[in-house]
């Protein structure tokens, strides 16, 4: 099971996460491309760190929303979303090329990811942008979502994603961050979820258990206990 983390999300004088400590512990890193977070220096440094530790590099495109960290829904046309994603892929590609490495996958960020999970037009726009940029790239999408369907329909390789530190609704979508209990913080809760995900299931906020096939598990780098959680998850995946 692949373990991925959203990183490279500092910008300017603002610092977020512990990229230097987390990157050696994960298999894949999703690097912010400057719209929801990240800046050219941070993107370059994160690519270099990922290459140093032989971690797969992913583009993490999001809405142009620094103030909201890309977690606010923005009403954009499919054409706008297509070009926005394509633009951000090109930005990260510049840094992977300069560092003699490659983009491995693409994972939309935040509100864009969640909207694409349920809106076919948005999902298709994202999948088309990836295909037109490089059809060999892997799309990371929420398991059981419209984004997974769109990627598979267009011919992309798709890795279904599950979350170690987020809670689920009965329909398989993530609990909105605006609602209480959307994020799991304690080690016990996160590890319990990971163990269930490894059986291709997930527990919802109502207590139901749903089928959820996953190829990669995400843990967020901005979680207050991120480093310890990543270490524990890494151990759980190795057993």
């Amino acid at each position: 099971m692949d373990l991925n983390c959203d990183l490279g999300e500092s910008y300017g004088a603002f610092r977020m996460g512990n990229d230097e400590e987390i990157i050696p512990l994960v298999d894949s890193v999703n690097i912010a491309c400057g719209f929801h977070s990240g800046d050219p220096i941070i993107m370059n440094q994160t690519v270099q760190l990922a290459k140093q530790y032989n971690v797969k590099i992913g583009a993490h495109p999001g809405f142009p929303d620094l103030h909201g960290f890309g977690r606010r829904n923005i009403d954009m046309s499919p054409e706008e979303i297509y070009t926005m994603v394509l633009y951000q892929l090109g930005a990260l590609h510049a840094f992977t090329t300069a560092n003699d490495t490659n983009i491995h996958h693409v994972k939309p960020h935040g509100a864009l990811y969640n909207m694409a999970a349920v809106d076919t037009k948005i999902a298709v726009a994202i999948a088309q942008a990836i295909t037109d940029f490089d059809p060999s790239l892997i799309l990371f999408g929420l398991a059981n979502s419209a984004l997974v369907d769109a990627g598979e329909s267009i011919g992309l390789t798709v890795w279904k994603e599950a979350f170690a530190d987020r809670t689920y609704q009965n329909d398989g979508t993530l609990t909105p961050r605006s609602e209480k209990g959307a994020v799991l913080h304690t080690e016990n809760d996160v590890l319990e979820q990971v163990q269930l995900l490894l059986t291709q299931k997930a527990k919802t906020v109502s207590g139901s258990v749903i089928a959820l096939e996953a190829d990669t598990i995400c843990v967020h780098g901005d979680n207050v206990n991120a480093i310890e959680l990543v270490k524990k998850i890494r151990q759980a995946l190795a057993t």
Side-chain angles (χ1 to χ4, degrees):
M1 177 72 73
D2 178 85
L3 179 62
N4 79 78
C5 191
D6 305 339
L7 296 174
E9 293 179 323
S10 299
Y11 64 90
F14 174 76
R15 289 293 176 263
M16 173 177 283
N18 295 281
D19 295 13
E20 294 84 357
E21 295 184 63
I22 291 177
I23 285 178
L25 301 172
V26 298
D27 302 301
S28 304
V29 58
N30 316 306
I31 301 176
C33 299
F35 273 35
H36 77 275
S37 196
D39 65 29
I41 289 177
I42 294 298
M43 291 170 70
N44 194 44
Q45 291 175 345
T46 311
V47 166
Q48 291 171 350
L49 278 171
K51 180 182 178 181
Q52 177 183 345
Y53 291 102
N54 197 30
V55 171
K56 296 184 286 289
I57 294 169
H60 199 36
F63 282 129
D65 180 27
L66 280 175
H67 286 107
F69 196 63
R71 288 175 175 165
R72 299 182 292 190
N73 290 5
I74 297 179
D75 186 12
M76 299 179 73
S77 69
E79 180 182 11
E80 289 174 309
I81 288 173
Y82 168 87
T83 53
M84 177 185 71
V85 170
L86 194 60
Y87 183 96
Q88 292 176 79
L89 291 178
L92 187 64
H93 177 65
F95 295 109
T96 56
T97 298
N99 288 286
D100 193 28
T101 186
N102 299 289
I103 299 175
H104 169 265
H105 64 276
V106 181
K107 173 188 170 180
H109 166 80
L112 180 63
Y113 181 95
N114 291 326
M115 291 170 72
V118 297
D119 188 317
T120 298
K121 290 182 179 180
I122 293 175
V124 169
I126 293 170
Q128 190 65 58
I130 297 169
T131 300
D132 291 348
F133 180 78
D134 183 350
S136 72
L137 296 181
I138 297 170
L139 170 62
F140 282 17
L142 183 68
N144 303 332
S145 73
L147 185 56
V148 167
D149 293 341
E152 291 177 342
S153 294
I154 208 168
L156 290 170
T157 299
V158 177
W159 285 10
K160 303 175 186 69
E161 184 176 37
F163 288 80
D165 53 5
R166 293 293 306 279
T167 60
Y168 285 88
Q169 298 292 296
N170 288 336
D171 62 358
T173 59
L174 299 176
T175 303
R177 284 182 177 266
S178 59
E179 296 183 13
K180 184 179 180 181
V183 179
L184 299 175
H185 295 289
T186 71
E187 180 181 309
N188 286 342
D189 287 342
V190 170
L191 292 180
E192 181 180 327
Q193 176 133 306
V194 168
Q195 293 295 343
L196 192 56
L197 291 173
L198 292 174
T199 68
Q200 300 187 2
K201 297 175 183 176
K203 183 181 290 186
T204 72
V205 290
S206 70
S208 300
V209 175
I210 59 173
L212 198 151
E213 180 182 349
D215 303 296
T216 183
I217 293 177
C218 175
V219 59
H220 286 93
D222 60 342
N223 194 308
V224 292
N225 303 315
I227 296 174
E228 289 306 314
L229 289 177
V230 171
K231 289 179 179 178
K232 295 294 185 179
I233 294 169
R234 180 84 276 164
Q235 293 173 3
L237 295 182
T239 58

